[in-house]
Amino acid sequence: MNGPFGGGKTTLAAGLRRALPGAVVADPEAVGDLLRSTLAGHTLHPRDYQDLPLWRQMAGVFVAGLVRHTGGPVIVPMTVLNPGYAEELFTPLREAGGFHHLVVHTAPAALQERITAGWEFPGDAARSEAVRAYRRRRVPDYQQAATDWLHADGHVIDTSALTPERTVQAALAQLHLTAPARPRPAETPEA
């Protein structure tokens, strides 16, 4: 699952995990955090861990390993805007079969609203604002990637006017899947 920073990938991933039995969410950012902390103070410490070939290798192994281990859907919310990096990550997964590249698109005005409303760290205004500032800085990068390659490479779901539940339904439709029917609450007879 790809798309702009702050565009709703994590929310959609959680919704798909609830809708698809046996699904897990794998966040390759955790692999990046591991590399960042391991290389702290080292001359090879990355500014952006996605620039490390090691991250791309480890992220691919992480996702493929989860697929083998769980046998179920592995949902990966991660913004990857560099087409070379995406190719490096996606090719082995495509070759393994069952790979779907969903692009969670959000129109610029709606994206700005979501970024402004976001509180990544509840109770910590400074850290939350740092995340919002980073997301705002990266909007042009997403828009350029969307124009250059991203929308042509993936299945685009425009979430600009969709609720989280409608976004999950759109993703399931794009993947040609249906969520199991939820049991209806038992009706109580009127007295």
Side-chain angles (χ1 to χ4, degrees):
M1 203 177 310
N2 209 340
F5 295 95
K9 296 179 304 297
T10 300
T11 301
L12 175 56
L16 287 173
R17 185 186 52 74
R18 286 188 301 273
L20 298 171
V24 296
V25 175
D27 189 348
E29 193 169 319
V31 175
D33 292 341
L34 172 66
L35 287 170
R36 193 176 320 175
S37 66
T38 301
L39 294 172
H42 193 278
T43 57
L44 295 177
H45 185 267
R47 182 167 182 261
D48 182 344
Y49 57 76
Q50 287 192 16
D51 293 333
L52 289 173
L54 180 58
W55 174 79
R56 297 187 301 276
Q57 294 165 0
M58 290 174 65
V61 168
F62 173 57
V63 172
L66 281 171
V67 169
R68 285 190 303 278
H69 182 72
T70 66
V74 177
I75 303 159
V76 184
M78 187 75 206
T79 300
V80 180
L81 302 178
N82 181 311
Y85 295 176
E87 188 64 24
E88 198 174 327
L89 287 162
F90 299 167
T91 297
L93 298 171
R94 280 186 173 118
E95 290 170 354
F99 174 82
H100 301 276
H101 182 200
L102 293 180
V103 178
V104 180
H105 174 75
T106 309
L111 180 58
Q112 290 299 334
E113 288 174 15
R114 289 181 189 176
I115 290 171
T116 299
W119 281 87
E120 198 71 20
F121 298 99
D124 191 334
R127 285 179 71 194
S128 292
E129 182 51 38
V131 170
R132 288 190 294 272
Y134 176 78
R135 289 174 173 175
R136 285 185 197 101
R137 282 194 309 273
R138 296 302 306 266
V139 168
D141 299 331
Y142 165 75
Q143 291 170 333
Q144 187 65 51
T147 300
D148 289 350
W149 72 276
L150 191 57
H151 283 195
D153 185 76
H155 304 287
V156 179
I157 300 172
D158 188 339
T159 67
S160 303
L162 297 179
T163 64
E165 184 59 36
R166 294 265 186 205
T167 301
V168 169
Q169 294 307 315
L172 291 170
Q174 188 65 53
L175 297 169
H176 306 292
L177 300 171
T178 56
R182 293 186 179 152
R184 299 186 83 158
E187 292 186 25
T188 55
E190 303 230 1

